Amino acid sequence: MAIVLIVLSVAWSINAMYHAPQLSRLDEWTYIDYSWKISAGHIPVRGEALGLEARTAWSCRGMEGAIRKVVPPACSEVASHAAQDWPFNGENYNAFHPPFFFLFTGLFGRAFAFVTGAGFVTGARVFCALVLACGIAALYLAIRAWRVRPVAAFAGALVVLATPAVAASGTMVHSESANALAGAAAVWIGARIFVQHKLGWVVPSVVALAITLTRVVSTVGIICVLAMVALSAIFPKAGGFGRSDRRKLVTIVVVGLIAIFGGYFAWSMWQNARTPAGYVPAINGLSTSEFTGQFAHVIGTLIAPYGITQHPYDWYMQDTLVSDVLIGWSNNVLYWFYIALPWVGLLAFLGDSARRLLAGSAAIGPFVAAVVVQGRELLTNHSFFRVLSGRYAMAAVPLFGATAAALFDRKILRWVLLGFGLASYAIVMASPWLPLTAG
C-alpha cells in the first residue's frame, strides 16, 4: 500500500508538471536559485541577485500575472537585462532557509538534467515530487504504528495527499514538499511515545533537529507532539503514563525543544552575519506590515490557518491546475472535514488516552503554525503577516490524516474514509481537464 501511494503521488506530480510548466508564484524562482547555487558550492545570502539559471527559468517558463505591475523580461531578452528588471528587483529574499534540502534538490536536478537533457528545473521539480511521494508513503507506515488497520491508514494518507496545498508541494521546486515527510515523522514519534511507550529522548531530538535543518516551519508537527508529551508529564495518568515516567517525558520535551531552537538559532546567526547590514527584503509589504504595536491584530491572525483548504488564502496552484470543482470541494467539503475532525476525535477518544493525544496534537496544529510563522517574522523582520495562510500548517496535516484514520478505523467507516480519499484524489487529478470560471 505504501508503494501504491508513491505511484499515486508521482502520477499526480507528473500530471501537474505537464499542465503547469510555468513557475509557481509561491517564490519558486528563489528556490530554483538557492538549489542551483548551493549545488555549485555557493550558499546564497538574502538580498543577492538571482542567478542566470533562475532568471532564465522565470522568463522562459513564464508566470501568471504581474507582481507589483512588473513582469519578467521576455525569454529572448534575458541576457540583455540586469537582475533588477525582474519582479522584486530580481533578488533572492529566501536565503534564510536552512541549506540541506536545497543542496540535495540542486544535486539531483543537475544529475537529472545531465542524464535526461530535460533541464535543471524539471529535475529539481522531480526531486520535490519524489520527496512528497516518500512523505505520503512514510505517513501510511507511521499511521500503521498507531495500530490502525491498513485500509484506514491508506485512506488517511490519501486524504493528506489530496489536500490541495500538500498536493501543490509536489509540483514545484519548493521545500514545502518536505512537509509531508516531516509530518509523518511527527506521527511516528507520537506512536513511539504514546502507543509503544518508548521514552528515550535521542530519537525524538534527532528527528526534531533534522526537520529544523530542512525547513523550520515544518517543525510544526513535531512541536504539536512535544506539546502533548508536556501535557502528559503534567497529567501522566490522563496520558496513560505513570508518575515514574514524568522525568523521561520532561526530558523528551526539553531536549526536543533545545534541538529545534538550537538548530534554528545556530543557522540563523551564521546566515544573518552574512546578510548585508540594514537589508530590507524587496518582498516586504506584499503580505506583511511593519509591527508598531498591533497586538490585537496579530493575536487575531493566530486562528486564521484553521481553514487549511480555503481557496485562494490557504493554497495556490497555477490556473491550469485549478477548476471550479476543486475549489468547491476544498472550500466546502474538505474545509468542514478538517475543521470538525480533531474535535470529533477528542470526543470519540475519551476512553483511549493515546489516540486522544493524537487528536489533541492535530487540534493545536494550525495555532502552533501561526505562532511559529508570526514569531519568526516579528523577531527577524520586525513585521507581521496581515493574514496567515493555512499553507503554513501543512506539516500538521499528517496529524489530521492520522486522526482521521484512527477515528474511521471501524467496520464500514474505514471504507467510507477510503471512498472520501479516492474522491478527493480523483478531483485533484481531474482538475487540469475541468473548467475554471471562478476568480
Side-chain angles (χ1 to χ4, degrees):
M1 285 192 173
I3 293 173
V4 171
L5 285 166
I6 288 175
V7 172
L8 292 175
S9 183
V10 171
W12 151 249
S13 294
I14 292 172
N15 179 27
M17 286 187 279
Y18 173 77
H19 283 95
Q22 67 269 37
L23 294 195
S24 168
R25 289 175 65 97
L26 299 180
D27 307 325
E28 187 176 7
W29 47 86
T30 63
Y31 300 116
I32 292 170
D33 185 62
Y34 201 146
S35 301
W36 175 263
K37 287 176 178 176
I38 194 171
S39 62
H42 169 63
I43 300 177
V45 176
R46 283 207 304 166
E48 70 178 48
L50 294 171
L52 183 61
E53 184 73 21
R55 301 201 309 270
T56 301
W58 202 351
S59 287
C60 297
R61 283 178 172 264
M63 177 197 70
E64 290 173 350
I67 297 176
R68 291 174 174 166
K69 300 181 180 180
V70 179
V71 296
C75 182
S76 59
E77 301 175 1
V78 170
S80 62
H81 281 265
Q84 289 74 21
D85 294 332
W86 273 259
F88 298 125
N89 296 328
E91 70 175 38
N92 190 331
Y93 44 82
N94 270 326
F96 63 86
H97 287 291
F100 300 106
F101 178 87
F102 301 106
L103 174 61
F104 292 115
T105 302
L107 292 174
F108 185 97
R110 286 176 181 269
F112 187 92
F114 177 79
V115 172
T116 67
F120 173 78
V121 174
T122 299
R125 281 184 166 186
V126 167
F127 178 80
C128 292
L130 292 175
V131 171
L132 171 61
C134 290
I136 297 300
L139 176 58
Y140 165 77
L141 298 174
I143 295 173
R144 291 281 289 128
W146 282 85
R147 298 171 184 165
V148 173
R149 292 173 181 83
V151 171
F154 181 92
L158 187 59
V159 169
V160 172
L161 170 61
T163 301
V166 175
S169 69
T171 69
M172 57 183 168
V173 183
H174 206 299
S175 56
E176 284 188 353
S177 61
N179 277 337
L181 193 56
V187 172
W188 176 66
I189 290 297
R192 279 178 55 90
I193 297 171
F194 302 130
V195 177
Q196 302 168 13
H197 282 206
K198 293 182 178 180
L199 303 183
W201 57 266
V202 175
V203 173
S205 59
V206 169
V207 169
L209 180 61
I211 296 172
T212 304
L213 296 179
T214 300
R215 180 175 171 83
V216 174
V217 75
S218 294
T219 59
V220 167
I222 195 71
I223 290 174
C224 292
V225 171
L226 291 177
M228 293 300 104
V229 176
L231 191 63
S232 297
I234 299 171
F235 306 105
K237 187 176 180 180
F241 299 97
R243 289 182 176 272
S244 60
D245 295 323
R246 271 181 166 170
R247 179 184 291 272
K248 293 179 180 179
L249 293 170
V250 170
T251 302
I252 290 173
V253 174
V254 172
V255 179
L257 292 178
I258 289 173
I260 293 170
F261 287 101
Y264 169 70
F265 284 113
W267 162 253
S268 296
M269 288 175 64
W270 183 80
Q271 186 69 321
N272 289 344
R274 304 172 65 226
T275 303
Y279 165 70
V280 178
I283 196 174
N284 266 22
L286 186 69
S287 55
T288 60
S289 296
E290 182 182 0
F291 181 74
T292 56
Q294 303 94 324
F295 290 102
H297 184 88
V298 171
I299 292 172
T301 65
L302 300 184
I303 63 170
Y306 277 91
I308 293 183
T309 63
Q310 285 285 287
H311 182 271
Y313 306 106
D314 299 319
W315 60 274
Y316 166 83
M317 293 186 201
Q318 295 92 322
D319 283 349
T320 51
L321 302 179
V322 182
S323 66
D324 294 336
V325 174
L326 179 57
I327 292 174
W329 184 262
S330 66
N331 282 4
N332 297 287
V333 181
L334 280 176
Y335 173 80
W336 288 110
F337 173 81
Y338 276 117
I339 286 290
L341 179 63
W343 315 109
V344 173
L346 285 170
L347 291 174
F349 298 145
L350 287 177
D352 187 330
S353 58
R355 294 187 175 188
R356 186 170 63 248
L357 291 168
L358 173 62
S361 65
I364 65 173
F367 174 78
V368 171
V371 171
V372 170
V373 173
Q374 286 287 41
R376 196 207 69 81
E377 190 67 19
L378 286 167
L379 288 172
T380 58
N381 294 321
H382 306 291
S383 58
F384 65 97
F385 286 91
R386 293 185 293 273
V387 177
L388 269 174
S389 169
R391 187 168 56 86
Y392 293 116
M394 284 305 109
V397 167
L399 294 169
F400 283 81
T403 300
L407 182 63
F408 284 79
D409 192 20
R410 295 169 176 83
K411 296 181 180 179
I412 191 67
L413 289 182
R414 67 177 65 99
W415 298 100
V416 171
L417 183 63
L418 178 60
F420 181 74
L422 289 171
S424 299
Y425 177 79
I427 289 170
V428 171
M429 279 292 286
S431 189
W433 284 280
L434 299 175
L436 171 66
T437 59

